[in-house]
Amino acid sequence: MFRFTLVAFLLVLGTACSGDEPVVSKREKLAGRVASLVVDGWRRDVEAATQNVIESNLPKAMQKRLESSEGEFKNSFDWKQVETYVADEYLAKFDNVELEEIHAFYSSTTGGKFLAEQTDLKNEVLRRVALAKLELPLILRTKSNVSNVVDGATGPLKRLLEDAIQSPPISPEHLVGTWYTDDMDEQGNGYRGWHKKSPSGANTLHGVQINHASKEFMSFSDEGVWVLQGKLLAETNFNYAEESQLIVIESVTADELKYRFVELNAEPSEWPLIVDTKKEITLPEKPTGYKDPFE
């Protein structure tokens, strides 16, 4: 909300009046330097907000018009005039000592990093706030999905799922963090990716699937939730809320997670064992000439 309010505010600004540069005091120069540092962060906010709009789900015709005018839009603000207005506000609200302290902080390595990170920090916090409103209903939906699968299962599958749920529970804290999967063969075919589980129940995943024989490259990214019952882990993504992926955990340590995906159309003995680790891996880039079969 702040970014768009800022954009709306800046749109009403005109260009600066021309004329001789006035003589300014040391205090005014200090306020101007502080304003310059602050407004530079605002400029990044506006550019990020513009890019977010362009990348949002808009009709293609509108998206093309925005892309064609992106440069003109970003350059339409008179940032020097904005700095003048901000400097006036700082002069009215802070004395010389306070201005010195603010400038010293913003000019430091830490202060510079603080300003540079504000856009990403605000975007991430607002994204998490929005997702948090969706996570609780999705967690409840996940539990319902698990119940439906267990109730509908029969024979060995039903016993296996019930035994997993009733097993001594795994501490959720053991699953929190980023886990990496490397299921590629020596030729570089297969899946490689990571999934990150947060204490709130949020789950983020990203990975790639490559088939060199068919020259196919698929990239996967999604967000959702995870629910643990005994040794049965259920994951549901926002894009596929009607179904949950069930996972039976074999074991988990600080650095290794062993599990099997529940495949309802296969015997449990045929479920492959997957081993994830905390060792960070690099995801391959899309090779030249490869296609995504889903695009």
Side-chain angles (χ1 to χ4, degrees), residues 16-241:
C17 298
S18 60
D20 297 331
E21 183 177 351
V23 177
V24 295
S25 66
K26 179 180 178 181
R27 171 176 164 77
E28 291 171 326
K29 288 181 179 179
L30 181 58
R33 289 197 294 269
V34 172
S36 178
L37 293 170
V38 172
V39 172
D40 187 59
W42 288 11
R43 176 184 56 77
R44 288 192 294 269
D45 273 355
V46 171
E47 292 180 354
T50 305
Q51 193 62 37
N52 286 346
V53 172
I54 291 174
E55 294 175 356
S56 60
N57 188 21
L58 296 172
K60 290 186 177 180
M62 182 181 296
Q63 198 166 38
K64 287 183 178 180
R65 287 199 299 271
L66 285 172
E67 289 174 350
S68 64
S69 61
E70 178 184 1
E72 180 182 352
F73 176 76
K74 288 181 178 178
N75 295 324
S76 63
F77 303 117
D78 186 344
W79 293 108
K80 286 298 181 184
Q81 185 66 67
V82 177
E83 287 180 18
T84 299
Y85 294 158
V86 173
D88 289 343
E89 293 298 318
Y90 273 78
L91 283 170
K93 293 179 172 61
F94 300 98
D95 61 29
N96 286 10
V97 174
E98 291 169 334
L99 286 173
E100 290 279 4
E101 291 175 347
I102 293 170
H103 184 261
F105 173 68
Y106 284 162
S107 299
S108 69
T109 301
T110 302
K113 181 178 180 180
F114 173 81
L115 287 173
E117 292 292 332
Q118 287 309 291
T119 296
D120 290 342
L121 185 149
K122 284 183 287 187
N123 288 345
E124 177 62 20
V125 169
L126 292 176
R127 184 183 69 85
R128 293 304 307 156
V129 168
L131 287 177
K133 292 186 177 181
L134 301 174
E135 283 169 5
L136 180 57
L138 196 59
I139 287 174
L140 297 176
R141 178 63 181 270
T142 301
K143 292 180 178 179
S144 175
N145 289 347
V146 171
S147 296
N148 291 337
V149 171
V150 174
D151 291 343
T154 59
L157 175 60
K158 187 178 184 69
R159 288 195 297 273
L160 187 151
L161 295 176
E162 290 178 339
D163 287 347
I165 292 175
Q166 296 167 9
S167 295
I170 294 174
S171 175
E173 288 77 11
H174 291 166
L175 296 177
V176 170
T178 303
W179 296 94
Y180 297 91
T181 305
D182 192 349
D183 194 29
M184 287 188 173
D185 59 24
E186 294 180 356
Q187 288 72 42
N189 295 295
Y191 175 83
R192 182 177 292 169
W194 54 264
H195 54 98
K196 180 179 180 181
K197 290 176 169 48
S198 302
S200 67
N203 187 54
T204 305
L205 61 93
H206 181 68
V208 298
Q209 182 88 26
I210 299 180
N211 186 321
H212 291 297
S214 59
K215 290 191 173 182
E216 293 180 342
F217 181 94
M218 292 174 284
S219 179
F220 308 90
S221 292
D222 213 335
E223 295 189 64
V225 300
W226 62 285
V227 175
L228 182 64
Q229 300 180 49
K231 290 186 177 180
L232 186 67
L233 174 66
E235 298 176 349
T236 309
N237 297 325
F238 287 113
N239 291 334
Y240 304 97

